[in-house]
Amino acid sequence: MSTRTTVCALLLAAAATVSSVLPAAASDTPPAAGASATSPSWMYRDSHVSAPAALKIAQRTLAAAKAAGQRVSVAIVDRNGTVIAQVRGDGAGPLTMESAVRKAATAAHFCTPTSVLAERLATNPGLRDLPGSLFLGGGVPVPGEPTCLAGIGVGGAPSGDQDEAFARAGLSALGK
Amino acid sequence: MSTRTTVCALLLAAAATVSSVLPAAASDTPPAAGASATSPSWMYRDSHVSAPAALKIAQRTLAAAKAAGQRVSVAIVDRNGTVIAQVRGDGAGPLTMESAVRKAATAAHFCTPTSVLAERLATNPGLRDLPGSLFLGGGVPVPGEPTCLAGIGVGGAPSGDQDEAFARAGLSALGK
Amino acid sequence: MSTRTTVCALLLAAAATVSSVLPAAASDTPPAAGASATSPSWMYRDSHVSAPAALKIAQRTLAAAKAAGQRVSVAIVDRNGTVIAQVRGDGAGPLTMESAVRKAATAAHFCTPTSVLAERLATNPGLRDLPGSLFLGGGVPVPGEPTCLAGIGVGGAPSGDQDEAFARAGLSALGK
Amino acid sequence: MSTRTTVCALLLAAAATVSSVLPAAASDTPPAAGASATSPSWMYRDSHVSAPAALKIAQRTLAAAKAAGQRVSVAIVDRNGTVIAQVRGDGAGPLTMESAVRKAATAAHFCTPTSVLAERLATNPGLRDLPGSLFLGGGVPVPGEPTCLAGIGVGGAPSGDQDEAFARAGLSALGK
Amino acid sequence: MSTRTTVCALLLAAAATVSSVLPAAASDTPPAAGASATSPSWMYRDSHVSAPAALKIAQRTLAAAKAAGQRVSVAIVDRNGTVIAQVRGDGAGPLTMESAVRKAATAAHFCTPTSVLAERLATNPGLRDLPGSLFLGGGVPVPGEPTCLAGIGVGGAPSGDQDEAFARAGLSALGK
Amino acid sequence: MSTRTTVCALLLAAAATVSSVLPAAASDTPPAAGASATSPSWMYRDSHVSAPAALKIAQRTLAAAKAAGQRVSVAIVDRNGTVIAQVRGDGAGPLTMESAVRKAATAAHFCTPTSVLAERLATNPGLRDLPGSLFLGGGVPVPGEPTCLAGIGVGGAPSGDQDEAFARAGLSALGK
Amino acid sequence: MSTRTTVCALLLAAAATVSSVLPAAASDTPPAAGASATSPSWMYRDSHVSAPAALKIAQRTLAAAKAAGQRVSVAIVDRNGTVIAQVRGDGAGPLTMESAVRKAATAAHFCTPTSVLAERLATNPGLRDLPGSLFLGGGVPVPGEPTCLAGIGVGGAPSGDQDEAFARAGLSALGK
Amino acid sequence: MSTRTTVCALLLAAAATVSSVLPAAASDTPPAAGASATSPSWMYRDSHVSAPAALKIAQRTLAAAKAAGQRVSVAIVDRNGTVIAQVRGDGAGPLTMESAVRKAATAAHFCTPTSVLAERLATNPGLRDLPGSLFLGGGVPVPGEPTCLAGIGVGGAPSGDQDEAFARAGLSALGK
């Protein structure tokens, strides 16, 4: 048994004798949404748009934009803010990539299309200061349970409505 | 029918006629690791350390460090790179917070303690250039299936062995 | 009684029934207003929320949010701008982490809840341009002498009032 | 005369024959590489991997990695440093995304696979300090004229050789 | 004739008296709209302002500003967002360099002068939140096919109209 | 004579034979403001607040704030945007340091107090989008020729007027 | 038994005696280092170099450098990583400011002069990868209890020994 | 007298009564290098490469590189770290722009060509950790008094010697 192994074994044993930090830890995380019955209580399970699916979303989005004669970029961002995929469309302008990411994140955050959210600014203008957000049409959420799974963001068309239409075309790659 | 609705309808119709780029898209994502049988094929399911569990890890880690008279910071980083929790210990030095995050990410990336990884640099020194990595003892992975779920990183003790001991004390909060 | 008041009152009541973690918290802010009599003249002494206390704040905050069915992130930021702890709640959206940090910093800067500060924008809209600030409800200061010690920030609930209620639940962990 | 001296001398001679820049602007940009005969002299024309092609590269790369049981991320970066596409593979570790981007950029910069470049570090170790570079296997250039057009970068497999194999699988999507 | 028009006219006239740098600039945007007949289908071809041309633009811009007694910075940004050249003018203020880059990017993105875009904010105020944008006069697009090729941005004069006049003087270096 | 020396000598000689790039380069930069008669034409001379003077400004500023019972930070930024000095006052809040830098830069850019500039936003609201700017009272320019030399920025007092008063107290250290 | 094993064994023993964190919160933070007897248990008190003292350090440092004919920058960084003051010396080179900050942070982190730390790299080269660190002479710690209070960093002299001498001259402003 | 005026007047009066922190402030900055006899003692005067001259340097550099069939980027960075000009050459690779800036800054910092500095790494390897530096051939200083005025950096050629030759060709535009 190497020295190192010994050290680790000792440490784990010692740690095991430390009493549970929080009383009733298990009941603290009931088998609610996000935790399956068979997972340890310390585990949180969630669902993401898979990378191959994100690529299909991007393909559909770009194809729809091309069919409409528009040059856009597209991003798919997970519920936890991870960028799954981002693609710069041919000839898309310099402001499209980061815009697409922010629209996707904003739609995923609120589980609401950014075109709808943009209208909320009339009553709550402070929302636009949320770091990482963008309240312009072109972001749509990917539905899921217990909350939406991701957001699709598109930037580059002359109007947010068009950007949103391309994002929805992308979403249709999921059969939704 | 508003202009906006028309645009969307036309685009969706156009999108529907775009031939599927990849043949046999569904079979492209078989029910392999990470996709349960009942999830749509475009969904990737994974597991994370829950936030309450991350807080327990942090508490145990800081308590172990305090008992040893050390001032450290601690971070828990998910497999996908998301920081679940990071805590700056009382009196911890200026280089501890970001170090803890990087050790956690490195351990989660390789599913290996950073003390073991540090030894690999002897044969593969280029690894240390991986952006976001830190090959110093103090990072331990959180085991899981099909791959490790997260990493715990600690920085601030005089040696990486001590940092690792505190991280393992934190890991024990999960019953591992 | 407005809806907002009711929500806060209920939450504070609930928080109060969790036994006060720290007995006799109130009595002891010692006279030293930044410089004790025995310190050298070049020394500035101040007080921070300790890391273990920050973890308790985070736990209470997340528990209160969970009880309300909300997914939020939480941050505790010191008077000098140091992040003591930040935690991403399970299922919290992509815009929550940085928002929580900014709300905490803003509340700590002005020693005032961000919900109150948001109303000040009506007369002084330029404040929202302060780098690192966020004038949305969900940030509360941690009182102290000679000035507030820290801020607690929460992001993720549909309204700033709810975010603030969770932050106040967290604050109650200090016996305040 | 050393090689270095010769190179410099040749360059000097060449430079001396350059006509003054401003008065003879047209002759200053001869129909050399990158400028077609019919373009205005102030225009530089070049070629990129199209966005749809980048998506196919990414799909092939991810499919090859999945077939090998590896979890990787992939990026396609243009000759001018623009990210065309980047995709985070399912279950890929926290250090994969930025690594893939850097490997792609490094391969595109030198028009050489990063596995070959890594060996050059033995004689020129300072290269690794080039900002934005990563000298680890997994980056391959996309050939073209007058210079390579882009780079494909992959990160996440246990060895750079595997990462490179996946990148080459992706490159094959271009018929190369 | 408004003051603004006068300023522009005078500047353009002045610029015209500097001998046109490039003879026969207008005739030659060749048919290829993004993909020449002989390129592989995966290739996207586009056109940029060459580096020597960007330098000439910068020279003309700075000369025009100096003639008007103004201290400005100037940037040329490509359609894909790459900075081709940026120059800090003598005595230009601290906010000029990044402003110039953003104005250039914004003009390139919309293929429209930023002075025109600034007026659009009245009906679509959300545009100003586009990351990387700046809706202040001083940015002008470089025309091209199938879309504009670049943007020229200038910052530092007391008014956006003056900044724009200097940018247009720079543009005249291309014979446009 | 070493090989290296030879190379350099050859290069310089060769370069010397390249004809002057711009005709009449010398007359192009007349002995105007910023260029002394004895400097080479390619040299731009300017003046800065010296570091010792910046420290005195900071001392006076902090003393004035302390006398008024306020906790502020202070920054001195040069005309070219270089931070000469920045100091975080004792007990100053988390938003003070960067605010002070931006106020200083804004005052130096416009050679105008930020309190005056803030009023200009009423007629030109787009100015607030200038990257690096902050249009809140507390920034004052340091006068000079041919343009102002620097800016002093203060942040932390309850009102911009107070911040400005402290900045002016600092300015008085220069005898102005 | 190796030294390493002994250290770990001791730590394990210590950790085993730690009482559970939450129930006995008050006794959990004994009147140890950093917590005065009269502070609430959730409060952590520490000491900083005051802003006026930091300015005196900077003045002495710059004066010493000037007397030696060197152009340097200087920074004072607190134990928690906050920059108290940083000053760019007249004529100091472009790499001095950030270097000074990093040397100060590194000295404060290890409570050791960076010249001593630089020698440790021979046996532990991985330390240099600590984010935010710089292992070059010129950083000295400001002593204190229970740990050092801050670091002073200087950059710009031809040798680290000189930089350190200037930093020590600055430290003498505290009477140390 | 308005409230604002009163506040300012009071504060200025107070400031005037604050005793001068440093005795003999004027004699503290003798008419040494960098301060002309007629400047106020608080003023530091220095010299820069003018923007038009920087453009000429860039033109010569790019012309020399083109004549040698190389694609490079070039940057001119001032002694105080300000980028005066940076230009991305046609077809230059993704790692050239930032490399050029760093080489220029490094040469300006040490007033020494980076090719010479690279050799110093053999005896002082820690230098390469200086933030913002790059110890690869291609950077040359612009001489001046009392210290060098700027640096010229070039990146993109296969060897540092070539990059340096192009930088020297650029330098020759100044008649040096």
Side-chain angles (χ1 to χ4, degrees):
Chain A
M1 200 178 205
S2 73
T3 304
R4 178 166 172 172
T5 310
T6 311
V7 170
C8 291
L10 285 174
L11 269 163
L12 288 172
T17 63
V18 176
S19 62
S20 166
V21 175
L22 287 181
S27 67
D28 189 48
T29 32
S36 81
T38 57
S39 297
S41 62
W42 54 266
M43 206 180 271
Y44 176 78
R45 292 186 62 84
D46 63 0
S47 300
H48 306 260
V49 172
S50 75
L55 286 171
K56 287 174 202 163
I57 291 171
Q59 284 171 321
R60 287 270 184 106
T61 297
L62 294 182
K66 189 172 190 175
Q70 297 299 330
R71 298 173 187 85
V72 303
S73 294
V74 57
I76 295 93
V77 175
D78 244 336
R79 174 69 184 171
N80 58 9
T82 305
V83 172
I84 302 300
Q86 56 178 317
V87 189
R88 196 183 182 284
D90 300 334
L95 307 180
T96 55
M97 196 69 132
E98 177 68 7
S99 295
V101 169
R102 292 201 184 191
K103 289 178 184 176
T106 305
H109 180 85
F110 291 99
C111 297
T112 305
T114 51
S115 58
V116 174
L117 295 168
E119 292 167 11
R120 286 194 199 162
L121 291 182
T123 52
N124 193 353
L127 286 179
R128 83 186 329 160
D129 295 329
L130 277 171
S133 72
L134 186 58
F135 290 84
L136 290 172
V140 298
V142 176
E145 287 297 329
T147 185
C148 62
L149 303 186
I152 304 170
V154 175
S159 79
D161 286 352
Q162 276 180 289
D163 282 334
E164 181 172 328
F166 305 147
R168 289 191 183 283
L171 181 60
S172 71
L174 301 184
K176 296 195 173 241
Chain B
M1 200 176 203
S2 74
T3 306
R4 178 175 165 179
T5 311
T6 312
V7 170
C8 290
L10 285 175
L11 273 159
L12 287 172
T17 64
V18 175
S19 62
S20 171
V21 176
L22 287 181
S27 68
D28 190 45
T29 32
S36 80
T38 56
S39 296
S41 63
W42 54 266
M43 207 181 272
Y44 176 78
R45 292 185 64 83
D46 63 0
S47 301
H48 307 261
V49 172
S50 75
L55 285 172
K56 288 173 201 164
I57 291 171
Q59 284 172 321
R60 287 268 183 106
T61 297
L62 292 182
K66 188 171 192 177
Q70 297 299 330
R71 298 173 187 84
V72 303
S73 294
V74 57
I76 295 93
V77 176
D78 243 336
R79 174 68 183 173
N80 58 11
T82 304
V83 173
I84 302 301
Q86 58 178 317
V87 189
R88 194 180 182 286
D90 300 334
L95 308 179
T96 56
M97 196 69 135
E98 177 67 8
S99 295
V101 169
R102 291 200 184 192
K103 289 177 184 178
T106 305
H109 180 86
F110 291 100
C111 297
T112 305
T114 51
S115 57
V116 174
L117 295 168
E119 292 168 10
R120 285 192 199 162
L121 291 181
T123 53
N124 193 353
L127 286 179
R128 84 184 332 158
D129 295 330
L130 277 170
S133 72
L134 185 59
F135 289 84
L136 289 172
V140 298
V142 177
E145 285 297 330
T147 185
C148 61
L149 303 187
I152 305 169
V154 175
S159 79
D161 285 352
Q162 276 179 290
D163 282 335
E164 182 173 328
F166 305 146
R168 288 191 183 283
L171 180 60
S172 72
L174 302 184
K176 299 202 172 230
Chain C
M1 200 176 204
S2 73
T3 305
R4 176 174 165 180
T5 310
T6 312
V7 169
C8 290
L10 286 176
L11 270 158
L12 287 172
T17 62
V18 178
S19 65
S20 172
V21 176
L22 295 175
S27 64
D28 25 36
T29 311
S36 82
T38 56
S39 297
S41 64
W42 54 266
M43 205 180 273
Y44 176 78
R45 292 185 63 83
D46 63 359
S47 301
H48 306 261
V49 172
S50 75
L55 286 171
K56 288 172 202 162
I57 291 171
Q59 284 171 321
R60 288 268 184 106
T61 298
L62 294 182
K66 190 170 190 175
Q70 297 299 332
R71 297 173 187 84
V72 303
S73 293
V74 58
I76 295 93
V77 176
D78 243 337
R79 174 68 184 171
N80 59 8
T82 305
V83 173
I84 302 300
Q86 57 177 315
V87 189
R88 196 183 181 285
D90 301 333
L95 307 180
T96 55
M97 195 70 133
E98 176 68 8
S99 296
V101 170
R102 293 200 183 192
K103 289 177 185 177
T106 304
H109 180 85
F110 291 98
C111 297
T112 305
T114 51
S115 57
V116 174
L117 295 167
E119 290 167 12
R120 285 194 199 161
L121 292 181
T123 53
N124 193 353
L127 286 178
R128 82 187 330 160
D129 295 329
L130 276 170
S133 72
L134 185 59
F135 290 84
L136 289 172
V140 298
V142 176
E145 285 298 328
T147 184
C148 61
L149 303 187
I152 304 169
V154 175
S159 79
D161 285 351
Q162 276 180 289
D163 282 334
E164 182 174 327
F166 305 147
R168 290 191 182 282
L171 179 60
S172 72
L174 301 184
K176 297 198 173 234
Chain D
M1 202 178 199
S2 73
T3 306
R4 177 175 167 180
T5 312
T6 312
V7 168
C8 290
L10 285 175
L11 274 163
L12 292 172
T17 62
V18 176
S19 58
S20 84
V21 176
L22 272 196
S27 67
D28 188 47
T29 31
S36 82
T38 55
S39 297
S41 63
W42 54 267
M43 207 181 271
Y44 176 78
R45 293 185 62 83
D46 63 359
S47 301
H48 306 260
V49 171
S50 75
L55 285 171
K56 286 175 200 160
I57 290 171
Q59 285 170 320
R60 287 267 185 108
T61 297
L62 292 182
K66 189 171 192 176
Q70 298 299 331
R71 297 172 187 85
V72 303
S73 293
V74 57
I76 295 93
V77 176
D78 243 336
R79 174 69 182 171
N80 60 9
T82 305
V83 172
I84 302 301
Q86 58 178 318
V87 189
R88 195 181 181 287
D90 300 334
L95 307 180
T96 56
M97 196 70 134
E98 176 68 8
S99 296
V101 170
R102 292 199 184 192
K103 289 177 184 177
T106 305
H109 180 85
F110 291 99
C111 297
T112 305
T114 50
S115 58
V116 174
L117 295 168
E119 292 169 9
R120 284 192 199 163
L121 291 181
T123 53
N124 193 352
L127 286 178
R128 82 184 331 159
D129 295 330
L130 277 170
S133 72
L134 186 59
F135 290 83
L136 289 172
V140 299
V142 176
E145 285 299 330
T147 183
C148 62
L149 302 186
I152 305 169
V154 175
S159 79
D161 285 351
Q162 276 179 288
D163 281 335
E164 181 172 328
F166 305 147
R168 289 192 184 283
L171 181 59
S172 72
L174 302 184
K176 298 205 169 227
Chain E
M1 201 177 202
S2 73
T3 306
R4 176 174 166 179
T5 311
T6 312
V7 170
C8 289
L10 285 175
L11 270 157
L12 287 171
T17 63
V18 178
S19 65
S20 172
V21 176
L22 294 176
S27 64
D28 24 36
T29 312
S36 81
T38 57
S39 297
S41 63
W42 54 266
M43 206 180 272
Y44 176 77
R45 292 185 62 83
D46 62 1
S47 301
H48 306 261
V49 172
S50 76
L55 285 171
K56 288 173 202 161
I57 291 171
Q59 284 172 321
R60 287 270 183 104
T61 298
L62 293 182
K66 189 172 190 175
Q70 297 299 331
R71 298 172 187 86
V72 302
S73 294
V74 57
I76 295 93
V77 176
D78 243 335
R79 174 70 184 170
N80 59 10
T82 304
V83 172
I84 302 302
Q86 58 178 316
V87 189
R88 196 181 182 287
D90 300 334
L95 307 180
T96 55
M97 195 69 133
E98 177 69 8
S99 295
V101 169
R102 292 199 184 192
K103 289 178 184 176
T106 305
H109 180 85
F110 291 99
C111 297
T112 304
T114 51
S115 58
V116 175
L117 295 167
E119 291 168 11
R120 285 193 200 161
L121 292 181
T123 53
N124 194 353
L127 286 178
R128 83 187 327 161
D129 295 330
L130 276 170
S133 71
L134 186 58
F135 290 84
L136 290 172
V140 297
V142 177
E145 287 295 329
T147 184
C148 62
L149 303 186
I152 304 169
V154 175
S159 79
D161 285 350
Q162 275 179 290
D163 283 334
E164 181 172 328
F166 305 147
R168 289 191 183 282
L171 180 60
S172 72
L174 301 183
K176 297 202 174 228
Chain F
M1 200 179 201
S2 72
T3 306
R4 181 177 170 152
T5 311
T6 312
V7 170
C8 290
L10 285 174
L11 268 164
L12 288 171
T17 63
V18 177
S19 62
S20 167
V21 175
L22 285 182
S27 67
D28 188 47
T29 33
S36 81
T38 56
S39 298
S41 63
W42 54 266
M43 205 180 274
Y44 176 78
R45 292 186 63 83
D46 62 1
S47 301
H48 307 261
V49 172
S50 75
L55 285 171
K56 288 173 202 160
I57 291 171
Q59 283 171 320
R60 287 271 183 104
T61 298
L62 293 182
K66 189 172 190 175
Q70 297 298 332
R71 299 173 186 84
V72 303
S73 294
V74 57
I76 295 94
V77 176
D78 243 336
R79 174 68 183 171
N80 59 9
T82 304
V83 173
I84 302 303
Q86 58 178 315
V87 189
R88 195 183 182 286
D90 300 333
L95 308 180
T96 56
M97 195 70 133
E98 176 69 8
S99 295
V101 170
R102 293 200 183 192
K103 289 178 184 175
T106 305
H109 180 85
F110 291 99
C111 297
T112 304
T114 50
S115 58
V116 174
L117 295 168
E119 291 167 11
R120 286 195 198 159
L121 292 182
T123 53
N124 193 353
L127 286 179
R128 82 187 329 160
D129 295 329
L130 277 171
S133 72
L134 185 59
F135 290 84
L136 290 172
V140 298
V142 177
E145 284 299 327
T147 184
C148 61
L149 303 186
I152 304 170
V154 175
S159 79
D161 284 352
Q162 276 180 289
D163 282 334
E164 181 173 327
F166 304 147
R168 289 191 183 282
L171 181 60
S172 72
L174 300 184
K176 297 199 174 234
Chain G
M1 200 178 203
S2 74
T3 305
R4 175 173 168 180
T5 311
T6 311
V7 169
C8 290
L10 286 175
L11 274 163
L12 293 173
T17 64
V18 175
S19 57
S20 83
V21 176
L22 273 195
S27 67
D28 188 47
T29 30
S36 82
T38 55
S39 295
S41 63
W42 55 265
M43 206 181 272
Y44 176 78
R45 291 184 63 83
D46 63 0
S47 300
H48 306 260
V49 172
S50 75
L55 285 172
K56 286 176 200 160
I57 291 172
Q59 283 170 322
R60 288 264 185 108
T61 297
L62 293 182
K66 189 172 191 176
Q70 297 299 332
R71 297 172 188 86
V72 303
S73 294
V74 57
I76 295 93
V77 176
D78 243 335
R79 174 69 183 171
N80 59 9
T82 304
V83 174
I84 302 300
Q86 58 179 315
V87 189
R88 194 180 183 287
D90 300 335
L95 308 179
T96 56
M97 196 68 135
E98 176 69 7
S99 295
V101 170
R102 291 199 184 193
K103 289 178 183 177
T106 305
H109 180 85
F110 290 100
C111 297
T112 305
T114 51
S115 57
V116 174
L117 295 168
E119 291 168 10
R120 284 193 199 162
L121 292 181
T123 52
N124 193 353
L127 286 179
R128 85 185 329 159
D129 295 330
L130 276 171
S133 71
L134 186 58
F135 290 84
L136 291 172
V140 298
V142 177
E145 286 298 330
T147 184
C148 61
L149 303 187
I152 304 169
V154 175
S159 78
D161 285 351
Q162 276 179 288
D163 282 334
E164 182 173 327
F166 305 147
R168 289 191 183 283
L171 180 60
S172 71
L174 301 185
K176 300 201 170 228
Chain H
M1 201 178 203
S2 73
T3 304
R4 176 175 164 181
T5 311
T6 311
V7 170
C8 289
L10 286 176
L11 272 158
L12 285 172
T17 62
V18 175
S19 63
S20 170
V21 175
L22 287 181
S27 68
D28 190 47
T29 32
S36 81
T38 55
S39 297
S41 63
W42 54 265
M43 206 181 272
Y44 177 78
R45 292 185 63 84
D46 63 359
S47 301
H48 306 260
V49 173
S50 75
L55 285 172
K56 288 174 202 163
I57 291 171
Q59 284 171 321
R60 288 269 183 106
T61 297
L62 293 182
K66 189 172 191 175
Q70 298 298 332
R71 297 171 187 86
V72 303
S73 295
V74 57
I76 295 93
V77 176
D78 244 335
R79 174 69 183 172
N80 59 10
T82 305
V83 173
I84 302 302
Q86 57 178 316
V87 189
R88 195 181 181 287
D90 301 334
L95 307 180
T96 55
M97 196 68 134
E98 175 68 8
S99 295
V101 170
R102 293 199 183 191
K103 288 177 184 177
T106 305
H109 180 85
F110 291 100
C111 297
T112 305
T114 50
S115 59
V116 174
L117 294 168
E119 291 167 12
R120 285 193 198 163
L121 290 182
T123 53
N124 192 354
L127 286 179
R128 84 186 329 160
D129 295 330
L130 276 171
S133 72
L134 186 58
F135 290 83
L136 290 172
V140 299
V142 177
E145 284 299 328
T147 184
C148 62
L149 302 186
I152 304 169
V154 175
S159 79
D161 285 350
Q162 277 180 289
D163 282 335
E164 181 173 327
F166 305 146
R168 288 191 184 282
L171 180 59
S172 72
L174 301 184
K176 299 206 168 225

